[in-house]
Amino acid sequence: MRRAMILLLACAQLLVCAACAEKKDGKTDKDADATPVRRIGVAIYDYQDSFMALYGDEIVSYFGSLSNESVRYEITVVDSRFDQMVQKKAVEGFIAQGVDAIILNLVTPSSAESIIDRVVSAKIPLVLINREPVGTGEGYPGIVNNPLVCYVGADARQSGTFQGEIIRDLPNHGDVNGDGKVGYLMIEGDVENTDAQYRTQYSVKALTDAGIAVEELDSGIGDWKRERGQEIAAIALARYGDAIEVVFSNNDSMALGAAVSIAGAERTVGKDIYLVGVDALEECVSMVREGTMTGTVRNDYVGQSHKAVDVAIAAMSGEAIENYYWVDYVKITNE
Ligand code: GAL
């Protein structure tokens, strides 16, 4: 039986992975050596990010599952450590090595143009994932003008809307104290990030569109990190107390941190406060099931990573690819 074998070699800045097919009985090393190899460079913006670590690992394991006697995929994964310079060097390294495709999770989407230009000049297919560079008009110029470049992601407006709808659909619509408006804390991802901006905007819009009055009592930038979510929630709960009825968190990691502060402030989710996140990390899905989190929204890293890999393979094989590929979010509540 064929089984994917993943070799993980970690060194100072690089995480190097080779995904290759295990040899069948009777095959010699020489046979394996004859298998054509495709090399793919993957750069993740920050492997400390729980969601992107799952996403990056899934890219490697899916490539591994697709390796067979006719093609073997060798994957190099770089952790850009939230540093655009580290990522720039990684991409230059991929180009110098002559990889067959690059899958890129940008550190700073505003630097997309120059990085895309380099990869396009080297005629290497480029699949951008998760951190979407947004231009004005119909798509980002570096994506729509280059047939070998595409973006695979999920429309963050949908995730924000789903968060707001989860609160809207509660019997009291989030108005715990019955004063006619929903007082909320917004815990945001990183600045200059479309997912953070859209989730912040659309979660609240789902309430106001339904005619529900809202009041933002506090907000903070948590950089998608659990400990920052905890800090931001602790400060807001100490400052505004019971007036905070809903905590919107742009992702689950920060919501997990907020849950700690909510418990620390002797508040009870589902009773006197509501908490919603995005990603559907396993821990959060369990919390939603048991009622310690009000809801989350599945950010389908399996669907997105498989699409990114499939598109990279299509482009490496000379097939035409589209500019944008979208994967749906899914609302998760305990109903
Ligand atoms: C979002 C995800 C966050 C974080 C972020 C990184 O889509 O919900 O948890 O991973 O991407 O840009």
XYZ file of all heavy atoms in Angstrom, residues 294-334:
320
model
N -19.905 30.907 22.161
C -21.233 31.013 21.541
C -21.236 30.447 20.118
O -22.202 29.832 19.685
C -21.680 32.493 21.523
O -21.428 33.042 22.804
C -23.141 32.636 21.164
N -20.143 30.689 19.405
C -20.072 30.170 18.045
C -18.731 30.463 17.418
O -17.934 31.251 17.943
N -18.474 29.792 16.303
C -17.296 30.096 15.515
C -17.667 29.872 14.048
O -18.811 29.529 13.735
C -16.064 29.264 15.952
O -14.923 29.647 15.177
C -16.287 27.770 15.780
N -16.701 30.112 13.166
C -16.966 29.973 11.733
C -15.810 29.165 11.144
O -14.649 29.520 11.344
C -17.018 31.376 11.061
C -17.266 31.242 9.565
C -18.096 32.254 11.692
N -16.154 28.051 10.491
C -15.074 27.214 9.957
C -14.362 27.919 8.807
O -14.988 28.334 7.833
C -15.610 25.864 9.468
C -14.469 24.919 9.012
C -14.938 23.514 8.664
N -15.707 22.864 9.712
C -15.216 22.387 10.855
N -13.930 22.470 11.095
N -16.015 21.846 11.753
N -13.051 28.090 8.997
C -12.183 28.621 7.950
C -11.530 27.362 7.390
O -10.657 26.775 8.023
C -11.147 29.553 8.614
C -10.406 30.422 7.628
O -10.594 30.323 6.420
N -9.539 31.274 8.148
N -11.966 26.927 6.239
C -11.685 25.580 5.750
C -10.251 25.466 5.205
O -10.012 25.553 4.012
C -12.725 25.252 4.658
C -12.556 23.868 4.092
O -11.711 23.104 4.596
O -13.278 23.550 3.119
N -9.306 25.215 6.134
C -7.901 25.145 5.684
C -7.644 23.899 4.848
O -6.755 23.893 4.007
C -6.930 25.227 6.884
C -6.921 24.000 7.762
C -6.122 22.905 7.463
C -7.742 23.925 8.880
C -6.131 21.776 8.264
C -7.755 22.810 9.679
C -6.946 21.732 9.366
O -6.967 20.616 10.143
N -8.453 22.868 5.052
C -8.270 21.655 4.246
C -8.680 21.965 2.801
O -7.907 21.755 1.858
C -9.072 20.458 4.815
C -8.960 19.246 3.901
C -8.589 20.111 6.216
N -9.873 22.527 2.641
C -10.347 22.878 1.300
C -9.418 23.872 0.615
O -9.091 23.725 -0.576
N -8.958 24.882 1.382
C -8.102 25.914 0.777
C -6.729 25.354 0.405
O -6.197 25.631 -0.667
C -7.946 27.099 1.737
C -9.243 27.878 1.925
C -9.124 28.941 3.005
O -8.402 29.907 2.847
N -9.837 28.772 4.102
N -6.148 24.552 1.305
C -4.802 24.032 1.008
C -4.855 23.054 -0.168
O -3.980 23.077 -1.034
C -4.182 23.373 2.240
O -5.008 22.337 2.700
N -5.903 22.233 -0.216
C -5.992 21.282 -1.330
C -6.195 22.031 -2.654
O -5.612 21.670 -3.678
C -7.124 20.282 -1.093
C -6.826 19.325 0.025
N -7.458 18.123 0.171
C -5.947 19.402 1.059
C -6.983 17.495 1.255
N -6.076 18.262 1.804
N -7.005 23.077 -2.601
C -7.220 23.865 -3.824
C -5.899 24.502 -4.262
O -5.541 24.475 -5.441
C -8.298 24.934 -3.561
C -8.594 25.852 -4.718
C -8.997 25.114 -5.977
C -10.442 24.687 -5.989
N -10.815 23.932 -7.198
N -5.147 25.051 -3.292
C -3.868 25.699 -3.625
C -2.909 24.693 -4.260
O -2.229 24.992 -5.258
C -3.246 26.308 -2.373
N -2.861 23.491 -3.714
C -1.967 22.451 -4.247
C -2.440 22.024 -5.644
O -1.637 21.935 -6.589
C -1.915 21.235 -3.284
C -1.234 20.036 -3.938
C -1.211 21.627 -1.980
N -3.747 21.778 -5.786
C -4.283 21.349 -7.090
C -3.984 22.398 -8.161
O -3.612 22.061 -9.289
C -5.799 21.130 -7.008
C -6.163 19.896 -6.178
O -5.281 19.037 -5.965
O -7.331 19.804 -5.734
N -4.142 23.664 -7.805
C -3.916 24.737 -8.769
C -2.417 24.840 -9.098
O -2.039 25.030 -10.254
C -4.450 26.077 -8.204
C -4.016 27.240 -9.049
C -5.962 26.047 -8.127
N -1.565 24.684 -8.092
C -0.118 24.725 -8.338
C 0.272 23.598 -9.293
O 1.050 23.800 -10.242
C 0.654 24.601 -7.022
N -0.305 22.420 -9.082
C 0.009 21.272 -9.953
C -0.495 21.538 -11.375
O 0.221 21.291 -12.360
C -0.591 19.959 -9.385
C 0.157 19.585 -8.103
C -0.531 18.827 -10.410
C -0.409 18.399 -7.342
N -1.700 22.096 -11.478
C -2.245 22.407 -12.810
C -1.322 23.395 -13.523
O -0.951 23.193 -14.695
C -3.648 22.982 -12.685
N -0.901 24.448 -12.806
C -0.050 25.466 -13.436
C 1.310 24.881 -13.818
O 1.833 25.160 -14.904
C 0.122 26.650 -12.482
N 1.877 24.025 -12.952
C 3.177 23.393 -13.280
C 3.055 22.500 -14.502
O 4.014 22.275 -15.216
C 3.659 22.517 -12.101
C 4.159 23.273 -10.912
S 4.895 22.142 -9.706
C 3.490 21.500 -8.857
N 1.837 21.961 -14.702
C 1.626 21.054 -15.842
C 1.246 21.824 -17.099
O 0.873 21.233 -18.118
C 0.510 20.051 -15.516
O 0.679 19.537 -14.235
N 1.268 23.146 -17.010
C 1.011 23.960 -18.201
C -0.456 24.222 -18.457
O -0.830 24.762 -19.499
N -1.325 23.824 -17.507
C -2.755 24.094 -17.711
C -3.068 25.543 -17.340
O -2.413 26.113 -16.473
C -3.594 23.176 -16.800
C -3.560 21.726 -17.221
C -4.153 20.803 -16.153
O -5.071 21.236 -15.424
O -3.660 19.671 -16.043
N -4.087 26.088 -17.977
C -4.495 27.470 -17.658
C -5.162 27.479 -16.284
O -5.891 26.552 -15.936
C -5.476 27.963 -18.707
N -4.894 28.509 -15.508
C -5.536 28.623 -14.192
C -6.344 29.917 -14.127
O -6.118 30.839 -14.907
C -4.501 28.576 -13.039
C -3.438 29.692 -13.196
C -3.847 27.209 -12.950
C -2.543 29.857 -11.973
N -7.284 29.954 -13.171
C -8.074 31.181 -12.995
C -7.324 32.151 -12.093
O -6.304 31.793 -11.508
C -9.428 30.819 -12.369
C -10.317 30.051 -13.340
C -11.516 29.413 -12.661
O -11.958 29.928 -11.620
O -11.995 28.397 -13.186
N -7.849 33.376 -11.970
C -7.193 34.368 -11.101
C -7.521 34.140 -9.626
O -6.683 34.321 -8.750
C -7.638 35.783 -11.470
C -7.149 36.185 -12.839
O -7.877 36.770 -13.623
N -5.906 35.849 -13.153
N -8.763 33.796 -9.368
C -9.221 33.668 -7.978
C -9.966 32.357 -7.763
O -10.737 31.936 -8.619
C -10.158 34.828 -7.612
C -9.414 36.134 -7.406
C -9.202 37.006 -8.469
C -8.914 36.481 -6.161
C -8.502 38.191 -8.285
C -8.216 37.663 -5.973
C -8.007 38.515 -7.034
O -7.315 39.678 -6.854
N -9.713 31.746 -6.608
C -10.456 30.557 -6.199
C -10.971 30.806 -4.787
O -10.189 31.170 -3.899
C -9.545 29.322 -6.182
C -9.021 28.956 -7.552
C -7.831 29.511 -8.024
C -9.714 28.061 -8.372
C -7.345 29.189 -9.283
C -9.227 27.728 -9.630
C -8.050 28.299 -10.081
O -7.569 27.974 -11.329
N -12.267 30.615 -4.581
C -12.873 30.917 -3.271
C -13.424 29.655 -2.625
O -14.055 28.835 -3.282
C -14.002 31.941 -3.427
C -13.512 33.231 -4.007
C -13.713 33.700 -5.271
C -12.693 34.222 -3.352
N -13.083 34.907 -5.442
C -12.452 35.258 -4.274
C -12.151 34.331 -2.068
C -11.688 36.392 -3.957
C -11.386 35.458 -1.760
C -11.164 36.469 -2.695
N -13.177 29.545 -1.336
C -13.679 28.410 -0.555
C -14.622 28.983 0.513
O -14.293 29.987 1.150
C -12.491 27.659 0.107
C -12.977 26.570 1.045
C -11.560 27.081 -0.968
N -15.779 28.357 0.678
C -16.782 28.903 1.608
C -16.435 28.698 3.083
O -15.813 27.712 3.453
C -18.136 28.219 1.355
C -18.930 28.957 0.291
O -18.720 30.179 0.118
O -19.757 28.305 -0.370
N -16.884 29.639 3.897
C -16.853 29.483 5.359
C -18.118 28.717 5.771
O -19.102 28.679 5.014
C -16.900 30.851 6.043
C -15.616 31.648 5.995
C -15.426 32.668 5.064
C -14.606 31.408 6.917
C -14.261 33.432 5.050
C -13.432 32.167 6.912
C -13.266 33.170 5.974
O -12.124 33.920 5.965
N -18.081 28.142 6.977
C -19.261 27.433 7.494
C -19.521 27.892 8.933
O -18.598 27.933 9.752
C -19.031 25.888 7.481
C -20.264 25.151 8.012
C -18.661 25.399 6.087
N -20.784 28.229 9.204
C -21.166 28.702 10.540
C -21.231 27.522 11.518
O -21.769 26.482 11.182
C -22.563 29.312 10.407
C -22.914 30.365 11.404
C -24.374 30.774 11.217
C -24.618 31.706 10.036
N -26.023 32.142 9.943
N -20.671 27.703 12.721
C -20.715 26.626 13.713
C -21.350 27.122 15.014
O -20.824 28.008 15.677
C -19.287 26.118 14.054
C -18.499 25.832 12.784
C -19.327 24.950 15.051
C -18.130 24.442 12.510
N -22.503 26.544 15.356
C -23.151 26.863 16.635
C -23.500 25.526 17.307
O -23.287 24.466 16.717
C -24.461 27.650 16.425
O -25.373 26.828 15.692
C -24.229 28.934 15.669
N -24.023 25.573 18.505
C -24.321 24.287 19.174
C -25.750 23.828 18.931
O -26.271 23.008 19.674
C -23.984 24.338 20.671
C -24.950 25.212 21.428
O -25.762 25.894 20.815
N -24.866 25.191 22.743
